[in-house]
Amino acid sequence: MNRSILIVTPFFAPQSHAAVFRAYKLAKYLPQFGWKPYVLTVDRNYLYNEDPTLLEDLPAEVEVTTARYIEPSLRGLRMALGGRDRTFAGLKSERGLAPYEGSKGGTSRSGGIGRVRDYLLRRWVQTPDAHWTWYGPAVRAARQLIRRHEIPLVYTSADPFTSHKIGRTLQREGCRWIADLRDPHAYCGRMHSRYPAVYARQRQLERDAVLRADAVTVASSAIAMILADSYGIEALDRTHFIPTGLDENLVPAGDQPRPRPFPYLLFSGEFLSEYGPEFLEIFASALLRPGVRALGAKLLVVGRLNVNGPQLEPIVRRLGLESHVEFVDHVPQRELYRLLQGAEAGVLISSRRSHWWCLYAKLVDYIAMRKTVVSILPDPSEARTRLSDAGLGLFLDGDREACASKLADFLVGRTARPIPSAAACDRFLANEQVRTFARLFDDLIGGGDSDPVTACHTAAAYIAQGGGRVQLGLWEGDAAAPVSCPKARLPVEV
């Protein structure tokens, strides 16, 4: 039996942003489960930081192929014609820190000229997205790999929407296709085009993936709910919730010295404007409580300085927090884990109204490392559910003063540390992520250990004994890995 798979993603090592790691960890650990991964990615990264050690850490079994990608922008055209390196990583290396590059294709400009330029790019040039120029080279390279190695499965990672188009093309030519959705891109306004004609194309590509792929995998169970609402309950027949996992091989030994001499909370990632200033206002108020300021506690904000700085520094100055907030530029995963290991708690600087469906990459790291998570979250929300299951949530609910008192009590040790659930935390390890994917892949090529219907019957028997619940065709119990039921429709909750 040929246990080989083609992983198609424009976001892969040496890129080192959050969108990389789901597919990267899949490729890295699949060989341990008897699978041979072939990765197809872009030959040029225009927008993100890079970490060469990510490629070095891949096992020899992983073969990475690149296909030509020219960003459909003035920058991409200039570079294709031999101009100087204008990528984020190139400018950062040249200048020490690159200026802010607007996401999804080129530098954002203010003023009338900038608005016209952005309209032309996003309405007419970058449709359905900025990766459409990669489609042809990627399909040609994929065909060669599939023929040469007789690859039976193709896994695509989206966004971009172009990944869905590539997967559908290769499925028509004989491969079985797994469409992985890291986010609900056609649902979330900031992730799809604001132009109706472009959005219609994007939504159709996502619809084709959800309804035609041989399996759909999602990074949170809430995304499955959104897909069912958007495209019909039949979408659940092939939908599998598989969380992204922390790379446990990169976690430092527990006896490492603390990386900072002061107690600190840690936020990792990029601060989005919709998060708002609420957490920093609560933090500032907590510092005024007796005994807290004397601790010298700080908030470490780890992520792209050119994004976090402009967003957060005005709020920090307004609240007088300059000596209590430290900005750290993007760091490799190993260093991020070291910083998290020394933190008093992880922080979710979100809001009570945004991203109810999101299982943040940073949250996966926090839970897997069994860190208390100080958070402002919608109720209900995916992140809140997972934190509650893990027993790690310190939720800042209520008015500003109540939240500040709760945070102050935690910082000075008047609040007992939550006791984590080992089973719930271990579910968010990369080994479990890849083990669950491997079971799905085996089922798709007919090499699984159990028939999917038998698995559903087993789940139903467990429920009858009061052992768990079924949600959206996904097994939600105490086991580390979910059992999917692709051939049965189950009620939302039993």
Side-chain angles (χ1 to χ4, degrees):
M1 185 176 297
N2 186 348
R3 280 191 169 90
S4 61
I5 186 167
L6 178 61
I7 297 173
V8 179
T9 173
F11 305 134
F12 199 76
Q15 298 176 53
S16 57
H17 52 99
V20 167
F21 290 105
R22 186 167 170 85
Y24 173 81
K25 292 166 188 175
L26 178 61
K28 182 176 179 180
Y29 290 105
L30 264 179
Q32 296 182 14
F33 298 93
W35 280 83
K36 167 74 173 179
Y38 296 89
V39 178
L40 177 59
T41 189
V42 296
D43 67 343
R44 176 165 282 163
N45 158 41
Y46 290 88
L47 289 172
Y48 303 105
N49 283 288
E50 295 186 354
D51 177 7
T53 65
L54 290 174
L55 285 175
E56 297 167 6
D57 287 343
L58 290 173
E61 293 91 339
V62 181
E63 296 188 24
V64 180
T65 300
T66 61
R68 185 96 189 270
Y69 171 50
I70 299 174
E71 182 185 75
S73 65
L74 290 176
R75 169 176 61 180
L77 183 60
R78 288 170 181 162
M79 290 178 59
L81 294 175
R84 71 184 182 89
D85 185 354
R86 296 172 180 267
T87 64
F88 177 85
L91 291 174
K92 185 173 182 178
S93 175
E94 176 185 316
R95 304 176 186 175
L97 181 65
Y100 175 62
E101 299 287 350
S103 63
K104 311 302 181 199
T107 306
S108 294
R109 306 276 180 85
S110 60
I113 294 176
R115 286 193 292 272
V116 171
R117 173 185 172 279
D118 282 352
Y119 168 75
L120 292 173
L121 280 176
R122 301 177 196 281
R123 171 60 184 91
W124 298 104
V125 179
Q126 298 179 354
T127 62
D129 52 52
H131 281 86
W132 67 265
T133 62
W134 188 55
Y135 170 80
V139 168
R140 290 191 291 273
R143 286 170 177 154
Q144 292 176 6
L145 288 167
I146 290 166
R147 284 196 298 265
R148 185 181 310 135
H149 303 290
E150 299 181 340
I151 301 171
L153 293 181
V154 171
Y155 165 102
T156 59
S157 177
D159 74 335
F161 294 92
T162 294
S163 292
H164 295 318
K165 187 176 179 181
I166 295 170
R168 177 66 175 142
T169 298
L170 298 176
Q171 183 194 43
R172 286 193 183 105
E173 297 177 4
C175 284
R176 305 208 76 186
W177 172 30
I178 303 97
D180 186 58
L181 279 73
R182 301 186 311 276
D183 290 306
H185 299 103
Y187 166 84
C188 181
R190 71 185 306 272
M191 294 179 177
H192 63 70
S193 176
R194 65 180 178 269
Y195 300 108
V198 181
Y199 173 62
R201 291 185 62 189
Q202 293 174 338
R203 184 176 170 87
Q204 186 59 50
L205 288 170
E206 186 176 272
R207 178 192 296 275
D208 285 347
V210 171
L211 298 181
R212 296 178 183 272
D214 296 283
V216 177
T217 53
V218 291
S220 85
S221 63
I223 297 174
M225 301 181 199
I226 290 171
L227 297 181
D229 285 347
S230 299
Y231 306 115
I233 195 70
E234 61 269 25
L236 300 178
D237 290 352
R238 59 184 66 83
T239 301
H240 308 255
F241 165 38
I242 303 179
T244 304
L246 171 137
D247 194 336
E248 54 264 52
N249 288 350
L250 299 182
V251 177
D255 56 355
Q256 298 292 312
R258 193 176 198 159
R260 295 291 190 278
F262 47 81
Y264 61 89
L265 306 174
L266 183 140
F267 169 83
S268 68
E270 296 181 8
F271 182 86
L272 305 179
S273 58
E274 55 260 44
Y275 292 170
E278 186 174 9
F279 176 79
L280 286 173
E281 291 170 351
I282 291 169
F283 183 53
S285 183
L287 290 173
L288 299 177
R289 299 298 196 274
V292 178
R293 187 173 292 274
L295 291 173
K298 291 189 179 184
L299 171 68
L300 256 60
V301 179
V302 183
R304 285 173 56 165
L305 283 176
N306 64 315
V307 175
N308 291 334
Q311 291 279 3
L312 284 171
E313 283 176 348
I315 305 172
V316 168
R317 287 195 297 270
R318 173 171 66 82
L319 297 172
L321 289 173
E322 292 91 337
S323 61
H324 291 279
V325 177
E326 178 181 333
F327 291 94
V328 179
D329 196 15
H330 175 89
V331 296
Q333 287 280 287
R334 194 183 302 272
E335 176 62 16
L336 176 62
Y337 292 167
R338 192 173 78 90
L339 290 169
L340 179 56
Q341 197 172 59
E344 298 296 314
V347 173
L348 285 183
I349 308 179
S350 51
S351 83
R352 303 180 198 277
R353 296 182 297 276
S354 70
H355 288 65
W356 67 270
W357 44 265
C358 190
L359 185 54
Y360 301 90
K362 62 183 77 69
L363 180 59
V364 167
D365 292 341
Y366 299 163
I367 293 176
M369 293 187 70
R370 306 187 186 186
K371 281 287 175 183
T372 301
V373 182
V374 178
S375 54
I376 301 173
L377 289 168
D379 187 8
S381 65
E382 179 81 4
R384 195 176 185 111
T385 296
R386 302 303 159 191
L387 272 176
S388 297
D389 289 347
L392 291 171
L394 185 72
F395 302 114
L396 299 181
D397 298 326
D399 62 30
R400 189 70 43 79
E401 290 305 303
C403 293
S405 295
K406 190 170 188 177
L407 179 57
D409 288 345
F410 172 78
L411 289 171
V412 299
R414 288 193 290 265
T415 300
R417 299 272 172 167
I419 300 175
S421 162
C425 292
D426 288 348
R427 186 180 185 185
F428 296 97
L429 296 174
N431 224 37
E432 279 306 322
Q433 171 199 339
V434 180
R435 186 192 313 277
T436 311
F437 269 114
R439 289 173 181 164
L440 172 60
F441 299 160
D442 280 333
D443 283 343
L444 288 172
I445 63 170
D449 294 331
S450 63
D451 179 77
V453 175
T454 301
C456 290
H457 290 165
T458 302
Y462 188 84
I463 294 163
Q465 297 168 14
R469 67 185 186 277
V470 169
Q471 290 184 327
L472 302 167
L474 306 172
W475 176 235
E476 287 282 354
D478 294 329
V483 178
S484 59
C485 303
K487 296 183 180 178
R489 289 185 186 160
L490 300 176
V492 171
E493 186 158 352
V494 175

